[in-house]
Amino acid sequence: MSFCVTDPAGPAAGAKRPQQVFTLLVEVGRKAGDGLPKGATGAALMVYASGVDEAEAVRETVAVLKEAGLAPLDVTGHGTLDERLGEGQDVEAGERELMDKALAENAVIVAQVMPFYD
């Protein structure tokens, strides 16, 4: 026997929400063995991360970066592809390809690293 409980305000409980890809800007500090260039005081990482919502994408990104030996300090969300296009942003084909890959692989992809120097 099976049954489904529904929330009058939303979809059926347990219903799987679709994955989306979020563009995140992550600031990282220094940590021994982090692989950042010598003399850098930290870096900004442009990341494409999949998740059912931005909060999940942020959690997964922070976990992956910590596992990779980085020290995440701050994460700023810049929305999904549709949100970015709705704001009038130009999203190049290369970016879209990385977003598609993040979605297909349910992954966190670091697209760009910009080291900070004093």
Side-chain angles (χ1 to χ4, degrees):
M1 174 168 69
S2 66
F3 61 93
C4 181
V5 178
T6 59
D7 178 350
K16 187 169 179 151
R17 297 188 302 176
Q19 294 279 316
Q20 302 180 77
V21 175
F22 295 86
T23 301
L24 306 172
L25 182 63
V26 183
E27 184 178 337
V28 297
R30 290 307 311 248
K31 184 176 177 183
D34 60 15
L36 294 177
K38 185 176 180 174
T41 58
L45 311 176
M46 181 63 68
V47 175
Y48 304 116
S50 65
V52 296
D53 57 26
E54 190 172 75
E56 180 184 60
V58 168
R59 284 190 303 273
E60 291 297 321
T61 297
V62 168
V64 166
L65 293 177
K66 284 182 176 180
E67 188 174 315
L70 294 169
L73 301 173
D74 188 52
V75 180
T76 303
H78 290 276
T80 63
L81 175 61
D82 288 341
E83 291 168 340
R84 291 179 59 197
L85 293 173
E87 293 174 356
Q89 294 183 27
D90 209 12
V91 181
E92 297 178 9
E95 264 189 282
R96 290 174 189 240
E97 288 174 17
L98 291 174
M99 290 176 182
D100 290 344
K101 184 175 181 172
L103 183 61
E105 297 178 10
N106 189 23
V108 172
I109 296 178
V110 177
Q112 188 173 11
V113 178
M114 298 158 278
F116 299 142
Y117 297 93
D118 280 336

